[in-house]
């Protein structure tokens, strides 16, 4: 299969119309959202949705998010629209918040991976909205990476993983948020299954108390059931070992400097993913400053890109842990998974 690439700015009309025709014909289109690039198919066509699983090598038990272009579209996808959902949609849609509720009969089993629920989100990115509108159907889309790899935040990342496997890529430049949407289930007590740019504090200001699934910052225990099937699988892994240090910034820097020395002595190539605050701590070392510890959104924006940049180029990626408040929770959730929960502390 040849993968066509369109520039979402200079070839706006052509690209969107062509991609919408591909979606309606059952094909696969990668498109930018404000979080990460999605790999889209007609969300009401089970066979088209199956192609997403094949192209990504995605485990069959991991359900997909349906992307809509207007709030009222959830009415046809859910059994009914709970009051909490209405309030959250008014506050945060379009935007990086995915809501889960009981699905209606028109949602194919392939989308829900057999679950009684379906995840829905209305993205904010203009290209994503234009594509969904032109296609005239909800678009099922996971992140547009090969299963297990870091999520793509540029069209180049999508091409690395998906060239020859999908029909179209709409190139809309880098994604501004850089980590995937917050996933919140509204079945039972509202619970965050995956943290993202819409934080617990922001959700609680609208609907009151919200739980965070315990598996957000630790691996599932033996025999523990996953609230979200995505929690079970290895995620975001570059072709390099990833190690995270936690503690105060000074402590973290000293742990990482020592680890760097030990690894280098064993002949292993290293990079430190540093921050503005620790810039001067890694003199003479291979260091990539990826953002500001005081503004975790800057780190979220760069994380997946940095993991891909060093994938296959070094043996070990040494990363700084940050405080788990606000979007720090989303950052640590992705980083700890990329590291397979390998943490250095002192
Ligand atoms: O920002 C995003 O959400 C991006 C862009 C493309 O919209 N999409 C994305 O999709 O991250 P994906 O498939 O990579 O992650 C969806 C997550 C998975 O962990 C999946 O297990 C969970 O949401 N999920 C989807 N439907 C679910 C459901 N019905 N119940 C529980 N978890 C669900
Ligand atoms: Mg994903």
């Amino acid at each position: 299969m040849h993968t066509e690439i369109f520039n979402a700015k200079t070839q706006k009309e052509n690209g969107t119309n062509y991609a919408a025709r591909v979606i309606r014909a059952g094909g696969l289109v990668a498109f930018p959202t404000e979080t990460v690039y999605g790999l889209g198919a007609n969300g009401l066509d089970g066979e088209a949705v199956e192609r997403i699983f094949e192209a990504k090598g995605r485990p069959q038990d991991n359900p997909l998010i349906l992307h809509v272009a207007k709030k009222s579209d959830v009415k046809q996808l859910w059994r009914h629209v709970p009051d909490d959902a209405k309030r959250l949609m008014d506050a945060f849609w379009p935007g990086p918040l995915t809501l889960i509720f009981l699905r209606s009969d028109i949602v194919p089993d392939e989308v829900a991976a057999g679950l009684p629920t379906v995840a829905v989100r209305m993205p904010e990115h203009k290209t994503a909205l234009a594509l969904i509108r032109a296609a005239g159907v909800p678009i099922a889309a996971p992140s547009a990476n090969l299963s297990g790899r870091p999520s793509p935040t540029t069209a180049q990342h999508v091409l690395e993983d998906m060239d020859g496997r999908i029909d179209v890529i709409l190139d809309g430049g880098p994604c501004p948020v850089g980590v995937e949407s917050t996933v919140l289930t509204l079945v039972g007590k509202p619970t965050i299954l995956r943290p993202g740019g819409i934080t617990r504090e922001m959700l609680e200001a609208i609907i009151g108390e919200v739980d965070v699934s315990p598996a957000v910052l630790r691996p599932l225990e033996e025999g523990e059931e996953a609230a979200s099937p995505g929690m079970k699988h290895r995620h975001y892994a570059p072709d390099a070992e990833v190690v995270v240090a936690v503690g105060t910034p000074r402590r973290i820097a000293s742990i990482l400097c020592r680890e760097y020395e030990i690894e280098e002595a064993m002949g292993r190539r290293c990079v430190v993913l540093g921050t503005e605050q620790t810039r001067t701590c890694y003199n003479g070392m291979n260091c990539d400053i990826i953002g500001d510890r005081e503004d975790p959104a800057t780190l979220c924006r760069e994380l997946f890109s940095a993991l891909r940049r060093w994938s296959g180029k070094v043996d070990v990626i040494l990363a700084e842990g940050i405080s788990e408040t606000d979007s720090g929770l989303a950052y640590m959730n992705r980083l700890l998974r990329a590291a397979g929960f390998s943490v250095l502390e002192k």
Side-chain angles (χ1 to χ4, degrees):
M1 179 191 297
H2 173 71
T3 303
E4 295 279 347
I5 305 174
F6 291 88
N7 182 310
K9 288 204 180 82
T10 57
Q11 300 169 292
K12 196 165 144 202
E13 297 282 298
N14 276 351
T16 309
N17 292 336
Y18 181 84
R21 279 201 300 279
V22 167
I23 294 277
R24 279 198 300 272
L28 299 182
V29 174
F31 61 97
T33 80
E34 68 280 17
T35 58
V36 301
Y37 275 73
L39 177 53
N42 180 347
L44 301 181
D45 174 350
E47 275 176 35
V49 169
E50 259 181 34
R51 290 190 193 110
I52 295 178
F53 286 83
E54 279 163 30
K56 278 185 62 107
R58 182 177 176 101
Q60 294 288 340
D61 65 351
N62 199 359
L64 304 177
I65 297 170
L66 289 178
H67 295 68
V68 297
K70 56 180 193 303
K71 293 174 194 170
S72 57
D73 285 349
V74 297
K75 278 190 251 164
Q76 50 159 352
L77 304 174
W78 286 342
R79 287 243 201 104
H80 65 94
V81 183
D83 286 341
D84 279 351
K86 286 180 196 150
R87 290 191 197 105
L88 292 169
M89 283 159 34
D90 282 340
F92 302 116
W93 280 14
L97 174 66
T98 295
L99 297 172
I100 294 176
F101 196 63
L102 300 169
R103 68 176 157 124
S104 73
D105 294 338
I106 68 162
V107 176
D109 286 338
E110 288 83 353
V111 170
L115 295 175
T117 54
V118 70
V120 186
R121 112 170 169 95
M122 178 178 174
E124 193 173 19
H125 200 288
K126 286 199 172 62
T127 305
L129 289 172
L131 175 65
I132 303 163
R133 269 189 218 111
V137 289
I139 295 187
S143 49
N145 50 283
L146 286 174
S147 196
R149 298 252 301 146
S151 301
T153 56
T154 67
Q156 189 54 42
H157 297 160
V158 178
L159 198 63
E160 278 166 23
D161 282 16
M162 292 296 163
D163 195 13
R165 294 173 165 263
I166 63 176
D167 300 288
V168 182
I169 299 175
L170 297 178
D171 181 352
C175 302
V177 178
V179 295
E180 307 90 336
S181 61
T182 303
V183 175
L184 181 78
T185 179
L186 295 171
V187 180
K189 178 157 184 206
T191 304
I192 295 176
L193 304 182
R194 180 178 71 184
I198 306 292
T199 63
R200 179 189 202 165
E201 294 76 7
M202 292 160 79
L203 297 169
E204 288 189 331
I206 308 295
I207 57 165
E209 206 180 310
V210 167
D211 279 349
V212 178
S213 169
V216 158
L217 287 175
R218 60 157 175 78
L220 285 174
E221 282 158 15
E222 189 79 16
E224 182 180 355
E225 205 183 313
S228 178
M231 287 171 177
K232 282 188 300 203
H233 305 290
R234 181 85 207 270
H235 262 63
Y236 315 127
D239 179 12
E241 191 183 333
V242 182
V243 175
V244 184
V246 296
T248 61
R250 284 187 64 181
R251 196 61 229 163
I252 287 172
S254 97
I255 295 169
L256 291 184
C257 287
R258 203 188 48 199
E259 188 64 21
Y260 192 103
E261 219 173 277
I262 296 169
E263 296 288 351
E264 274 219 315
M266 292 191 295
R268 300 188 2 124
R269 296 159 302 168
C270 302
V271 65
V272 175
L273 302 186
T275 53
E276 294 301 343
Q277 286 75 6
T278 51
R279 187 185 273 283
T280 56
C281 300
Y282 308 111
N283 282 335
M285 298 162 60
N286 181 24
C287 176
D288 186 2
I289 302 294
I290 62 167
D292 181 342
R293 300 178 63 84
E294 302 297 316
D295 184 4
T298 61
L299 295 166
C300 286
R301 196 175 305 140
E302 271 301 307
L303 176 65
F304 290 142
S305 197
L307 292 176
R308 280 181 179 264
R309 188 153 58 239
W310 295 104
S311 179
K313 304 263 180 2
V314 295
D315 301 298
V316 193
I317 297 173
L318 299 163
E320 297 185 4
I322 61 169
S323 152
E324 285 137 10
T325 47
D326 298 321
S327 36
L329 183 64
Y331 184 75
M332 288 304 284
N333 169 269
R334 306 310 189 277
L335 183 58
L336 288 169
R337 278 181 164 65
F341 296 94
S342 169
V343 176
L344 298 170
E345 56 191 320
K346 238 306 154 53

